[in-house]
């Protein structure tokens, strides 16, 4: 265990599984006290806490719907009451709805926007206020997506929300730079998680499709995303308002599909 974040407290939203749990455990490995936020998966959140504690770290699970300001306020206040401060916020909670835009139900659109964009704003606003009051700086990392920088079929609400997260990140970075609060975003490509497996089934693409389309010829890993977040959360890099794309070269590749790759 390193001491990179020793004495720091981090809130990671949507941390009961996938990329979120990987980020939480990695921050804890580097010395941070971590708040594992979940909406409904209490058992999985508890398992993440137990994993961190088994490795000698400190973590608690806190239930909150990120689209509900009262829930987020209560989570931030509980964090401050128990640990004294909020130093790092990672906005990872998210969802998607796959389907043709022409047939998309408006309620499905609103729910994705509420969680993936409005939820990020709410958490940034409430935690950011606390960081400013603490006057010790802070770091916010918003999990966006490469799909926030490109169009992708059957993903209208998700792509729109993640594009909003990217520009929200830049705006907050400019506003809060005088308070020594860095605000950056990570834009993952296709990362191998159980959630990815579920969306593949509904969207009709295979592992081989992703491997052929990605210049690095594979999915990214949760551990790689956690390493990216660790860099962005450090707060000692003179980096703010940036979007770190971790997509294996997907959005840089003009060829789009590598038929002959083995």
């Amino acid at each position: 265990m390193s001491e990179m974040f020793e004495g720091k407290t981090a809130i990671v939203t949507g941390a009961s599984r996938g990329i979120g749990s990987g980020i939480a455990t990695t921050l804890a490995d580097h010395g941070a006290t971590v708040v594992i936020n979940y909406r409904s998966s209490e058992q999985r959140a508890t398992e993440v806490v137990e994993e961190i504690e088994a490795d000698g770290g400190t973590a608690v699970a806190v239930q909150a719907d990120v689209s509900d300001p009262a829930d987020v306020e209560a989570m931030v206040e509980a964090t401050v009451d128990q640990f004294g401060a909020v130093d790092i916020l990672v906005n990872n909670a998210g969802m998607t709805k796959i389907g043709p835009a022409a047939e998309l139900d408006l309620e499905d659109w609103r729910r994705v926007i509420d969680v993936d964009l409005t939820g990020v704003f709410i958490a940034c606003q409430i935690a950011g206020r606390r960081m400013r009051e603490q006057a010790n700086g802070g770091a916010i990392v918003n999990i966006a997506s490469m799909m926030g920088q490109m169009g992708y079929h059957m993903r209208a609400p998700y792509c729109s929300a993640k594009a909003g997260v990217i520009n929200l990140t830049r705006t907050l970075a400019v506003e809060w730079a005088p308070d020594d609060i860095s605000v950056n975003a990570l834009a993952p490509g296709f990362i191998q998680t159980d959630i990815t497996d579920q969306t593949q089934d509904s969207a009709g693409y295979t592992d081989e499709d992703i491997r052929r389309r990605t210049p690095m010829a594979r999915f990214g890993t949760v551990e790689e995303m956690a390493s990216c977040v660790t860099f962005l959360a450090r707060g000692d890099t003179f980096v703010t308002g940036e979007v770190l794309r971790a997509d294996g070269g997907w959005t840089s590749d003009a060829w789009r599909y590598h038929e002959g790759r083995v």
Side-chain angles (χ1 to χ4, degrees):
M1 180 181 290
S2 80
E3 299 181 353
M4 184 186 303
F5 297 118
E6 192 70 34
K8 302 290 187 181
T9 299
I11 296 174
V12 183
T13 70
S16 64
R17 65 192 298 187
I19 293 174
S21 65
I23 291 168
T25 55
T26 299
L27 291 176
D29 286 343
H30 288 296
T33 295
V34 184
V35 173
I36 308 298
N37 162 252
Y38 68 96
R39 184 176 66 87
S40 58
S41 305
E42 182 176 9
Q43 180 177 346
R44 287 200 300 266
T46 300
E47 290 169 357
V48 177
V49 170
E50 291 172 350
E51 179 183 349
I52 289 171
E53 291 178 338
D55 288 336
T58 302
V60 295
V62 178
Q63 192 280 331
D65 181 342
V66 297
S67 66
D68 184 333
D71 272 14
V72 177
E73 185 79 52
M75 176 174 64
V76 170
E77 290 308 306
T79 301
V80 173
D81 289 345
Q82 186 166 355
F83 302 115
V86 176
D87 304 292
I88 299 166
L89 169 67
V90 182
N91 281 305
N92 170 77
M95 63 173 296
T96 190
K97 181 66 179 179
I98 298 172
E103 300 171 15
L104 186 70
D105 186 88
L106 186 57
E107 287 307 308
D108 289 331
W109 167 273
R110 286 174 173 156
R111 183 58 183 159
V112 174
I113 297 297
D114 280 351
V115 174
D116 291 12
L117 178 55
T118 306
V120 172
F121 172 72
I122 290 169
C124 283
Q125 184 184 59
I126 292 172
R129 286 172 181 161
R130 175 60 66 172
M131 290 176 182
R132 295 176 76 189
E133 291 169 4
Q134 292 166 181
N136 292 318
I140 296 173
V141 182
N142 297 323
I143 307 302
S145 170
M146 69 175 186
M147 293 183 194
Q149 298 177 309
M150 58 187 284
Y152 198 82
H153 73 294
M154 311 271 281
R155 302 291 203 288
Y158 184 80
C159 291
S160 300
K162 294 303 185 179
V165 168
I166 287 170
N167 233 24
L168 173 63
T169 296
R170 293 171 175 143
T171 300
L172 296 181
V174 171
E175 289 193 17
W176 294 346
D179 299 292
D180 198 26
I181 299 170
S182 66
V183 188
N184 292 291
L186 174 65
F190 282 93
I191 312 304
Q192 194 72 66
T193 68
D194 57 343
I195 300 171
T196 303
D197 294 339
Q198 293 168 15
T199 56
Q200 277 184 236
D201 292 341
S202 58
Y205 59 83
T206 67
D207 286 359
E208 181 66 9
D209 291 329
I210 301 304
R211 188 184 72 80
R212 287 184 179 277
R213 174 59 181 80
T214 305
M216 290 185 73
R218 63 176 177 84
F219 284 81
T221 68
V222 168
E223 292 76 15
E224 288 169 328
M225 298 307 102
S227 293
C228 292
V229 169
T230 298
F231 166 73
L232 294 174
R234 281 172 48 183
D236 62 353
T237 59
F238 201 53
V239 174
T240 195
E242 287 300 316
V243 181
L244 175 57
R245 224 171 38 229
D247 64 0
W250 181 293
T251 52
S252 296
D253 185 8
W255 285 102
R256 295 187 58 80
Y257 197 79
H258 299 268
E259 291 285 357
R261 173 165 288 146
V262 294

